[in-house]
């Protein structure tokens, strides 16, 4: 769905009409054996919460340190930035079958927020919020009913929520230069100086400067984040998806970029010296993922086959018919300067898959695929063509095997126009639940599906 391509509607209603990228690792109990072949992973009917206009992506964190995972959602319909970010504090009782959240508290972002991330920027032990703003702080190239991104921006909101508080508190945003059409954000300590740095993808930079890196210079104990001058790198066409994870096992976070109009994934190996004042990444190496409607828009990286290396999974939104999910199995030797991947493997999700995440949903120790399908429709417990939904593909890959295998998709109800999805244990029962940001829900919507574990054979 995403950029259509590279254009953003001038008003919230136009965005919706035109449409007609985390948190802390979650632990999953190892005592469960997972769902047997043919057995469905069960979820309770979704609980729905209004959050804002054009709800896009979500992240989870314990913002108030009460032991429960809270949620933050960006609202892409906030063209001016007012109300661009909603934070919901978790009030769900332990092991409850339905989720409960306090009313969302809204914060101002840049214009048309499109990406959301978490990182402890000031070193106080609390997750701060990082927002990539598609329209930045300015607009240009006005067409009938359409605004083109001019400069993009990264907003940082420092967390000042008191322990146990019912209401989140974040300081007003501080903006930093990114690139036109900031659409992806990732955070990691690139120079291993103990501070978390930030990278962004910039959609509206054809062929040049599509990736930005900002090294963290924030002093501890300050209320004002600070970063070095932005360094730009060239990647593929119309980059959106972005992850910062270690591809070659050398202990340094590398950058992996999904090029939505290039049908490639770019990998940039991190060569930054420890404590360096400027980032140093190798030239991107591109890996083809096939011309399935469009290239990858979101990415997730986890070890799918249990060989200790991070594999790449990405969806193709504009695929005709059932959505295509691309899998690149990592074959990079330890500490190699040149990354390598096996030939692309394809599995299928619902119509118009927008975001994919990898999480062990059934407790068998293997990462499963979970997809928000923007163009699939849910009615009650059933999913039918034309309404939105979520697909879960349980991982059946043998440990260490190069033969990737996933069970057929299992579909579950969500809201209208699912765009973003996060897996997190929201009720403390040890199972990852799902929170889905629904782009087309009236007033903006967040659907929460509580994981009930393996059910009966369908």
């Amino acid at each position: 769905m995403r950029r259509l391509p590279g254009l953003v509607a001038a008003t919230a209603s136009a965005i919706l009409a035109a449409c007609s990228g985390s948190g802390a690792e979650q632990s999953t109990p190892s005592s469960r054996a997972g769902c047997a072949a043919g057995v469905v992973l069960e979820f309770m009917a979704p609980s729905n919460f209004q959050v804002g206009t054009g709800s896009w992506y979500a992240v989870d964190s314990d913002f108030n340190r009460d032991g429960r995972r809270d949620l933050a959602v960006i609202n892409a319909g906030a063209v001016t930035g007012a109300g661009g970010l909603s934070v919901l504090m978790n009030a769900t009782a332990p092991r409850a079958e339905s989720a409960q959240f306090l009313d969302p508290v809204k914060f101002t972002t840049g214009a048309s927020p499109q990406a959301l991330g978490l990182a402890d920027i000031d070193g106080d032990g609390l997750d701060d919020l990082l927002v990539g703003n598609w329209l930045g702080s300015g607009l240009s190239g006005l067409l009938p009913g359409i605004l083109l991104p001019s400069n993009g921006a990264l907003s940082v909101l420092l967390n000042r929520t008191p322990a146990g508080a019912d209401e989140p508190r974040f300081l007003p945003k501080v903006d930093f230069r990114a690139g036109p059409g900031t659409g992806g954000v990732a955070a990691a300590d690139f120079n291993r100086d103990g501070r978390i740095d930030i990278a962004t993808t910039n959609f509206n930079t054809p062929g040049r400067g599509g990736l930005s890196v900002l090294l963290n210079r924030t002093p501890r104990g300050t209320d004002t984040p600070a970063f070095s001058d932005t360094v730009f790198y060239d990647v593929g066409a119309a980059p959106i998806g972005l992850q910062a994870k270690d591809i070659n096992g050398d202990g340094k976070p590398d950058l992996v970029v999904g090029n939505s109009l290039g049908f490639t994934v770019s990998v940039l190996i991190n060569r930054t010296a420890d404590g360096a004042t400027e980032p140093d990444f190798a030239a991107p190496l591109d890996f083809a993922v096939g011309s399935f409607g469009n290239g990858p828009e979101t990415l997730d990286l986890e070890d799918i086959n249990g060989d200790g290396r991070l594999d790449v999974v990405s969806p193709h939104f504009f695929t005709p018919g059932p959505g295509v999910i691309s899998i690149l199995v990592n074959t990079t030797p330890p500490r190699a300067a040149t990354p390598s991947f096996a030939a692309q493997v394809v599995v299928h999700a619902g119509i118009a898959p927008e975001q994919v995440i990898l999480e062990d949903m059934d407790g068998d120790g293997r990462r499963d695929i979970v997809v928000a399908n923007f163009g699939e429709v849910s009615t009650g417990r059933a999913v039918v063509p034309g309404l939105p939904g979520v697909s879960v593909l349980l991982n059946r890959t043998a440990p260490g095997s190069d033969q990737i295998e996933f069970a057929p998709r299992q579909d579950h109800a969500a809201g209208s126009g699912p765009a973003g999805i996060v897996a997190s244990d929201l009720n403390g029962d040890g199972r990852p639940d799902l929170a889905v940001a629904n782009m087309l829900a009236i007033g903006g919507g967040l659907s929460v599906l509580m994981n009930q574990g393996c059910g009966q054979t369908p």
Side-chain angles (χ1 to χ4, degrees):
M1 184 257 298
R2 207 57 182 187
R3 313 304 175 190
L4 240 48
L7 302 179
V8 176
T11 66
S13 59
I15 289 176
L16 298 178
C19 293
S20 0
S22 125
E25 290 291 325
Q26 299 298 302
S27 62
T28 305
S30 58
S31 59
R32 291 185 284 131
C35 298
V39 173
V40 173
L41 184 68
E42 293 284 351
F43 291 87
M44 296 298 294
S47 301
N48 296 309
F49 304 88
Q50 287 198 340
V51 289
T53 302
S55 306
W56 196 279
Y57 290 133
V59 294
D60 73 290
S61 178
D62 185 2
F63 293 123
N64 62 351
R65 293 164 287 173
D66 68 350
R68 292 179 288 193
R69 306 299 293 182
D70 310 305
L71 296 172
V73 185
I74 51 169
N75 306 308
V79 175
T80 66
L85 175 67
S86 298
V87 178
L88 298 87
M89 307 305 287
N90 190 349
T92 307
R95 307 186 72 86
E97 292 187 345
S98 62
Q100 297 292 326
F101 286 86
L102 301 181
D103 290 340
V105 177
K106 294 184 179 180
F107 298 89
T108 297
T109 64
S112 190
Q114 301 279 298
L116 182 60
L118 292 166
D120 181 6
I121 295 300
D122 57 351
D124 64 355
L126 300 177
D127 276 334
D128 307 306
L129 289 167
L130 318 174
V131 182
N133 303 294
W134 179 246
L135 297 179
S137 57
L139 308 174
S140 67
L142 188 62
L143 299 175
I146 295 294
L147 293 170
L148 299 177
S150 61
N151 59 354
L154 170 71
S155 296
V156 177
L157 294 84
L158 296 181
N159 186 358
R160 293 294 181 263
T161 307
D166 288 338
E167 183 169 328
R169 181 184 173 217
F170 287 83
L171 297 182
K173 69 181 179 74
V174 178
D175 291 338
F176 298 90
R177 179 191 180 199
T182 304
V185 61
D189 186 0
F190 297 127
N191 61 352
R192 299 198 287 191
D193 67 351
R195 291 179 287 194
I196 304 300
D197 311 304
I198 301 176
T200 71
T201 48
N202 312 307
F203 180 93
N204 202 41
T205 51
R208 302 194 61 80
L211 177 66
S212 305
V213 178
L214 300 86
L215 295 184
N216 192 349
R217 295 288 178 265
T218 307
R220 293 184 183 274
T222 184
D223 284 341
T224 304
F227 288 85
S228 64
D229 290 341
T230 306
V231 177
F232 294 92
Y233 292 88
D234 299 340
V235 287
I240 299 177
L242 179 62
Q243 291 282 331
K245 293 189 177 182
D246 185 2
I247 291 294
N248 62 352
D250 65 354
K252 295 183 178 181
D254 308 303
L255 289 170
V256 183
V257 179
N259 303 303
S260 65
L261 298 183
F263 304 105
T264 59
V265 169
S266 296
V267 178
L268 294 83
I269 296 296
N270 187 357
R271 304 181 304 194
T272 309
D274 291 354
T277 58
E278 289 190 4
D280 180 15
F281 286 85
L285 190 60
D286 293 341
F287 298 89
V289 289
S291 54
F292 299 103
N294 70 318
E297 296 190 353
T298 64
L299 302 166
D300 203 3
L301 277 67
E302 296 291 350
D303 183 3
I304 288 177
N305 60 350
D307 66 354
R309 291 176 285 201
L310 297 180
D311 310 304
V312 180
V313 176
S314 62
H316 299 262
F317 181 85
F318 286 112
T319 312
V324 168
I325 307 295
S326 292
I327 301 171
L328 296 175
V329 175
N330 190 350
T331 60
T332 307
R335 308 185 71 85
T338 302
S340 60
F341 290 85
Q344 173 192 27
V345 176
V346 169
V347 296
H348 293 281
I351 297 173
E354 171 63 16
Q355 186 181 13
V356 62
I357 57 175
L358 297 169
E359 180 63 63
D360 181 8
M361 298 302 297
D362 63 346
D364 67 353
R366 294 178 287 192
R367 294 283 179 157
D368 308 306
I369 294 175
V370 186
V371 190
N373 303 308
F374 186 85
E376 194 90 23
V377 176
S378 332
T379 54
R381 301 283 294 176
V383 179
V384 296
L387 302 172
V390 171
S391 294
V392 177
L393 292 81
L394 297 179
N395 192 346
R396 296 290 181 250
T397 306
S401 174
D402 58 2
Q403 300 297 311
I404 303 303
E405 180 182 358
F406 282 85
R409 64 183 250 216
Q410 300 175 9
D411 294 326
H412 302 276
S416 180
I421 190 166
V422 62
S424 181
D425 182 5
L426 299 176
N427 64 352
D429 68 353
R431 299 187 182 102
D433 309 301
L434 297 177
V436 185
N438 303 302
M439 176 74 170
L440 300 182
I442 301 301
L446 182 74
S447 296
V448 177
L449 293 76
M450 306 304 284
N451 187 347
Q452 298 298 294
C454 304
Q456 298 178 352
T457 302

